[in-house]
């Protein structure tokens, strides 16, 4: 398995997946040469210390929305990794969701994992029913990752509902702290590694900075004997973002499609032929794209109409050596 993928569906509102513009966007995504999408959506728990994850009737995508997106993807010949995510409504990053690791906090851990398991298992059932080719059971849940026994029990329950491969998406810098990677089929990484030394850095510098990352991830693969996939990877088309590819807040930075393209090209060059590496889900492709004439001023993660799109098309058109 080698994934030529793209993340699709994030930051959408209820009903968006069923709009004509969503199908148009998905067709344009397919034209990049992508063969997979990670269909990423979220629900909200009230804050990072909440013990219950509600179905948010104002935010969470409905099952009909998801069914429509999966059906359209399959009709286009795209495979789907279903990626349900829990965010915190207080605006704190989901990696902070959790409790102290002491005796008094154990009931809170039990309650949260009971709710989270119900959340994931709902989508495991849906992924099985819709024929999704992969399921991602968590994304950047760093504060929970030491709870090995609870994650193991959750995974066993999910496997009773969904027969396809399971991935877990660790954040870069946390990938070596997940002792239960042996329980999933795919080691997923949010690969927002800062590979530029400064704004406008060269592709060659970025390639060089990917090499120690590659060595680390190769060791991770060897430890667990699991393929590694970049469940998220990307960079905004803004000057300086290859040094902080996770950034979405510095909207004042000037447009630079060159920096984004260099980030894409460097990551493709560094990992494409590694036999243990199983592919990319780039972040991200919007459900509602901007008009093409706005591509040269858009400083977001989207690559539609930008140089990085041409880079990706060239790479995704290539065969990969077995």
């Amino acid at each position: 398995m080698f994934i030529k993928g793209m993340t699709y569906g994030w930051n959408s509102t209820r009903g968006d997946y069923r709009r004509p513009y969503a199908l148009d966007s998905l067709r344009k995504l397919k034209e990049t040469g992508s063969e997979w999408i990670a269909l990423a959506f979220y629900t909200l728990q009230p804050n990072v210390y909440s013990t219950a994850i509600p179905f948010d009737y104002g935010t969470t995508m409905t099952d009909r929305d998801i069914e429509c997106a999966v059906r359209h993807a399959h009709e286009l010949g795209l495979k789907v990794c279903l990626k349900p995510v829990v965010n915190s409504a207080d605006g704190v990053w989901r990696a902070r969701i959790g409790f102290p690791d002491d005796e008094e906090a154990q009931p809170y851990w039990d309650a949260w994992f009971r709710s989270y398991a119900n959340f994931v298992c709902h989508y495991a059932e849906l992924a099985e029913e819709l024929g999704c080719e992969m399921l991602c059971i968590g994304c950047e849940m760093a504060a929970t990752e030491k709870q090995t026994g609870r994650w193991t029990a959750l995974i066993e329950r999910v496997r009773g509902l969904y027969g396809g491969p399971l991935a877990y998406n660790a954040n870069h810098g946390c990938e070596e702290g997940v002792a239960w990677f042996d329980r999933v089929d795919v080691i997923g990484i949010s690969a927002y590694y800062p590979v530029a030394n400064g704004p406008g850095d060269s592709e060659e510098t970025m390639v060089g900075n990917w090499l120690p990352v590659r060595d680390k991830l190769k060791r991770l693969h060897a430890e667990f004997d699991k393929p590694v996939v970049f469940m998220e990877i990307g960079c905004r088309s803004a000057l300086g973002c290859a040094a902080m590819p996770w950034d979405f807040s510095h909207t004042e930075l000037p447009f630079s499609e060159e920096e984004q393209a260099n980030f894409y090209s460097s990551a493709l060059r560094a990992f494409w032929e590694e036999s243990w590496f199983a592919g990319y889900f780039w972040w991200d492709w919007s459900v509602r794209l901007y008009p093409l004439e706005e591509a040269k001023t858009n400083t977001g993660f989207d690559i539609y109409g930008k140089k990085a799109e041409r880079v990706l098309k060239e790479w995704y058109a290539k065969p990969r050596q077995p």
Side-chain angles (χ1 to χ4, degrees), residues 127-157:
E128 182 72 18
E129 291 170 8
L130 299 179
C132 295
E133 287 81 2
M134 186 182 292
L135 174 66
C136 184
I137 61 168
C139 177
E140 302 170 356
M141 309 295 288
T144 74
E145 289 166 0
K146 298 296 185 184
Q147 302 297 315
T148 298
R150 292 180 171 95
W151 273 107
T152 298
L154 182 154
I155 291 166
E156 289 176 358
R157 185 177 163 194

Side-chain angles (χ1 to χ4, degrees), residues 16-46:
D16 276 352
Y17 294 176
R18 293 184 276 167
R19 302 292 186 187
Y21 54 72
L23 181 54
D24 177 67
S25 174
L26 205 53
R27 289 186 180 122
K28 289 181 170 66
L29 185 159
K30 168 76 173 179
E31 290 170 2
T32 66
S34 293
E35 297 172 353
W36 284 75
I37 60 166
L39 185 60
F41 55 94
Y42 62 89
T43 195
L44 297 170
Q45 64 177 60

Side-chain angles (χ1 to χ4, degrees), residues 84-321:
V85 176
V86 172
N87 277 346
S88 182
D90 59 8
V92 178
W93 182 30
R94 73 184 78 90
R96 311 298 181 213
I97 292 172
F99 311 95
D101 192 17
D102 56 36
E103 194 63 34
E104 291 182 359
Q106 297 313 303
Y108 298 98
W109 279 115
D110 288 341
W112 184 85
F113 264 95
R114 188 162 50 247
S115 187
Y116 185 73
N118 288 338
F119 168 79
V120 174
C121 285
H122 173 83
Y123 292 106
E125 290 180 345
L126 191 61
E128 182 72 18
E129 291 170 8
L130 299 179
C132 295
E133 287 81 2
M134 186 182 292
L135 174 66
C136 184
I137 61 168
C139 177
E140 302 170 356
M141 309 295 288
T144 74
E145 289 166 0
K146 298 296 185 184
Q147 302 297 315
T148 298
R150 292 180 171 95
W151 273 107
T152 298
L154 182 154
I155 291 166
E156 289 176 358
R157 185 177 163 194
V158 169
R159 288 202 185 278
L161 300 168
Y162 174 71
L166 301 180
Y168 176 75
N169 181 177
N171 196 43
H172 70 284
C174 300
E175 61 276 89
E176 294 173 300
V178 183
W180 42 272
F181 265 143
D182 60 322
R183 303 292 180 148
V184 296
D185 304 294
V186 175
I187 295 173
I189 309 290
S190 284
Y192 300 109
Y193 297 94
V195 293
N197 296 334
D201 220 340
S202 69
E203 180 183 329
E204 294 303 322
T205 296
M206 294 183 201
V207 170
N209 288 334
W210 277 116
L211 299 184
V213 174
R214 189 175 72 186
D215 291 343
K216 177 172 68 170
L217 298 183
K218 186 176 182 178
R219 291 192 297 271
L220 191 68
H221 158 75
E223 179 181 355
F224 293 103
D225 194 27
K226 304 289 182 180
V228 176
V229 170
F230 287 161
M231 283 299 304
E232 293 185 18
I233 179 172
C235 171
R236 293 196 298 121
S237 50
L239 192 64
C241 280
M244 49 177 184
W246 58 84
D247 177 73
F248 59 88
S249 60
H250 289 82
T251 56
E252 78 284 357
L253 294 173
F255 175 77
S256 175
E257 64 176 338
E258 193 73 26
E259 181 141 343
Q260 184 186 50
N262 286 344
F263 183 89
Y264 267 67
S265 186
S266 66
L268 288 157
R269 284 175 56 188
F271 290 91
W272 188 266
E273 295 296 353
E274 296 296 313
S275 61
W276 50 269
F277 181 73
Y280 311 79
F281 285 108
W282 293 94
W283 189 275
D284 66 338
W285 190 276
S286 295
V287 169
R288 186 167 193 165
L289 292 169
Y290 44 76
L292 187 59
E293 60 269 20
E294 295 180 11
K296 301 305 181 184
T297 57
N298 179 280
T299 58
F301 283 93
D302 279 284
I303 61 171
Y304 175 56
K306 301 175 187 176
K307 185 176 179 181
E309 183 182 27
R310 298 196 299 274
V311 169
L312 192 66
K313 283 181 176 180
E314 290 172 3
W315 278 92
Y316 275 6
K318 296 179 182 181
R320 183 172 180 261
Q321 298 300 319

